[in-house]
Amino acid sequence: MPDTFSAAALADQLDTQFHAALARRFFSLSPAAGLLAASDWALHLAVSPGKCMALARLALRQSEELAGYARERMTAGADPQLRHGVQPPAQDRRFAAPEWQQWPFNYMHQSFLLTQQWWAAATHGVKGVEKHHENVVAFAARQLLDVFSPGNQLATNPVVLQRTLQQGGANLLRGALNAADDLQRLAAGKPPAGTEDFVVGRDVAVTPGKVVLRNRLVELIQYTPTTEAVHPEPILIVPAWIMKYYILDLSPHNSLIRYLVDQGHTVFCLSWKNPGYEDRDLGMDDYLKLGFHAALDAVNAIVPKRKVHATGYCLGGTLLAIAAAAMARDGDARLASLSLFAAQTDFSEPGELGLFIDESQVNLLEAQMTQTGYLKASQMAGAFQMLRSYDLLWSRLVNEYLLGERTPMNDLMAWNADATRMPARMHAQYLRRLFLDDDLSRGRYPAGGKPVALSDLTLPTFMVGTLTDHVAPWRSVHKLHYLTTAEITFALTSGGHNAGIVNPPGHPRRHHQILTRPAGGSYMAPDDWLAAAPDVPGSWWPAWVQWLQARSGAPVAPPHVGARGYKAIADAPGSYVLEK
């Protein structure tokens, strides 16, 4: 019997090592997952003669349209009023410059858009193909086509060619120098150019405060009040551990934490440790115990006999929802309200991020993390970059390497480059129990050894979704409406996962929709909500502050910094946020 166990363990170890090697070879993407998706699509397309005939007819019609377009454009010259054969998608800015209306570049971009259109038809609507496989194949086709976009090539981009002629090739020289600098920084493990202008604690994360708690996983920062009186209920912010907390405390003009402090709130914020190999066995329960619950105990000691406005962002919001449901289950009434920003509680429709999460992909990541002890920041960054390949990759390559123009660094971009790692055990649990199995929304996720149910939540809840979120799509965030009958105020703001949250008042183009579903109210589907919610110009921050103040007591004297057992041990932003 021992020999049997030994042989099984050896076989498992061999498989793990081989899968980890595959992960390194294929940039942490499962080749098996890609092959399964491609074969599922190809086999079902091969036995769908009707679909094949429809695609053939589409190709013939497009060829005729393109030929007719070419004849018209050649005879019309540079007439900008002549129709386009295909209009690019509303979000496609690649061919907006007037130079693209000149022959032969107009023909090139029209041909490219028609090719995109054909592949979109070919990869969708093939009967029998599993939905996840369909999405993967369609995504892969878009990524491959983008490689050959005429806008991404020197010889076929009229804007680049015109700039090269005007500057005698100086733009290409600058681009080569930019590329050399980037490669040198990459080889040395240095951050992108310009990040040196945004030093944590000097330029960003500068709201005054003190670290009042430090354990092996978190530091807790208590911020210094700026008003003579504060609302008695403190705010505890739980940011995502996939990012540095100071996304919520960037420059003074766009710091949500500074804004809250200036509005008369006592604010506490968690700063997660950047884990290393020694933290490999930290799991979701540790993030609850050492993170949220340790912080809540500290806040209760510093501001005694007061309920807490608990606030979570992204994965921090998911963790907070788990913690709040467990507290409701156990009769723990220390929370006054719940605020969740771009945070999912139902993962049945996670959006495009789900393209990278299936059994094969998770198994490959688990094997790789078994050896490293954590998920590297670059692995997550690569996935997000592919989701927004034009904005984060191709437009940058064209601007910086072909046009020779460095994109000016800003605080949000510098923060985005300051990425974090995730412990192997926690990330595997997160991917399996939340993404793959959707245990939280189905009442199977355990906290404290017992499952939690989101239906137990009765706290008034403020939620924020962002219109162009690729990480936590707003319709997925909205799903909490049918998981609980609690009062929910939902705000849908312009912007994406980060820029929609970093949304200070005064921005001329920002707007949001907001609507409250009363406790016990009927469920309203996302599209119905979208039609019913009034549109409000400006930031959602003032609406949230008004919501908090309506659920807070009359202002009182600010609490002391720290308390017995929670003395101030360092100035904000602390030391964990500085770990690379």
Side-chain angles (χ1 to χ4, degrees), residues 248-542:
L248 301 174
D249 186 27
L250 286 172
S251 305
H253 71 277
N254 61 1
S255 166
L256 176 58
I257 288 174
R258 180 181 287 268
Y259 179 78
L260 289 170
V261 172
D262 288 345
Q263 299 300 313
H265 290 281
T266 298
V267 179
F268 296 81
C269 184
L270 286 172
S271 175
W272 299 100
K273 186 180 188 299
N274 199 1
Y277 182 83
E278 68 279 5
D279 303 307
R280 58 186 294 135
D281 292 325
L282 289 173
M284 288 289 287
D285 283 345
D286 296 305
Y287 275 71
L288 281 169
K289 180 180 178 181
L290 298 175
F292 172 76
H293 286 296
L296 182 60
D297 289 343
V299 173
N300 290 155
I302 296 169
V303 191
K305 300 179 182 179
R306 298 292 186 180
K307 292 191 175 185
V308 176
H309 293 301
T311 302
Y313 178 26
C314 187
L315 298 186
T318 305
L319 186 77
L320 178 57
I322 294 169
M327 292 173 69
R329 177 199 65 197
D330 299 335
D332 188 335
R334 287 181 288 169
L335 300 185
S337 71
L338 200 62
S339 295
L340 305 174
F341 304 154
Q344 296 177 95
T345 50
D346 181 305
F347 291 82
S348 59
E349 295 176 325
E352 288 189 326
L353 195 59
L355 293 165
F356 303 101
I357 302 173
D358 55 28
E359 184 63 41
S360 178
Q361 183 63 57
V362 171
N363 175 72
L364 205 73
L365 286 175
E366 287 176 339
Q368 190 173 22
M369 290 189 297
T370 297
Q371 295 188 345
T372 61
Y374 50 79
L375 185 75
K376 295 179 181 179
S378 58
Q379 293 169 266
M380 291 298 296
F384 293 141
Q385 194 173 64
M386 282 191 285
L387 292 178
R388 297 176 56 203
S389 59
Y390 175 70
D391 292 326
L392 298 182
L393 178 62
W394 295 115
S395 64
R396 178 174 172 267
L397 295 181
V398 169
N399 288 333
E400 299 198 1
Y401 301 157
L402 297 182
L403 293 175
E405 298 175 351
R406 274 290 194 197
T407 303
M409 183 65 66
N410 59 38
D411 51 7
L412 186 58
M413 293 165 62
W415 164 85
N416 195 51
D418 190 11
T420 59
R421 298 175 292 272
M422 285 178 284
R425 184 182 178 195
M426 181 283 302
H427 196 58
Q429 291 173 339
Y430 166 71
L431 289 178
R432 285 198 174 277
R433 302 221 64 164
L434 294 178
F435 264 97
L436 277 185
D437 299 336
D438 197 20
D439 282 348
L440 180 57
S441 72
R442 299 179 183 182
R444 298 191 301 249
Y445 190 89
K450 296 181 291 183
V452 298
L454 294 174
S455 57
D456 289 339
L457 292 175
T458 58
L459 293 169
T461 302
F462 191 99
M463 300 185 71
V464 179
T466 65
L467 269 172
T468 57
D469 200 326
H470 294 269
V471 180
W474 78 265
R475 285 178 171 82
S476 181
V477 171
H478 181 274
K479 286 175 178 287
L480 186 63
H481 281 79
Y482 74 75
L483 296 172
T484 176
T485 58
E487 173 199 305
I488 296 179
T489 298
F490 188 81
L492 177 62
T493 180
S494 56
H497 188 71
N498 297 324
I501 302 302
V502 183
N503 195 338
H507 198 292
R509 293 185 295 275
R510 295 292 173 88
H511 62 93
H512 65 280
Q513 293 176 257
I514 188 167
L515 193 65
T516 297
R517 194 274 305 273
S522 300
Y523 170 69
M524 184 178 291
D527 289 339
D528 295 332
W529 183 96
L530 196 64
D535 193 69
V536 182
S539 167
W540 58 269
W541 287 11

Side-chain angles (χ1 to χ4, degrees), residues 36-49 51 122-135 137:
L36 283 171
S39 60
D40 185 11
W41 168 77
L43 288 172
H44 282 92
L45 181 62
V47 295
S48 302
K51 179 70 172 180
T123 55
H124 290 90
V126 180
K127 293 182 178 179
V129 178
E130 184 182 327
K131 182 63 176 175
H132 175 69
H133 289 164
E134 178 182 86
N135 292 338
V137 171

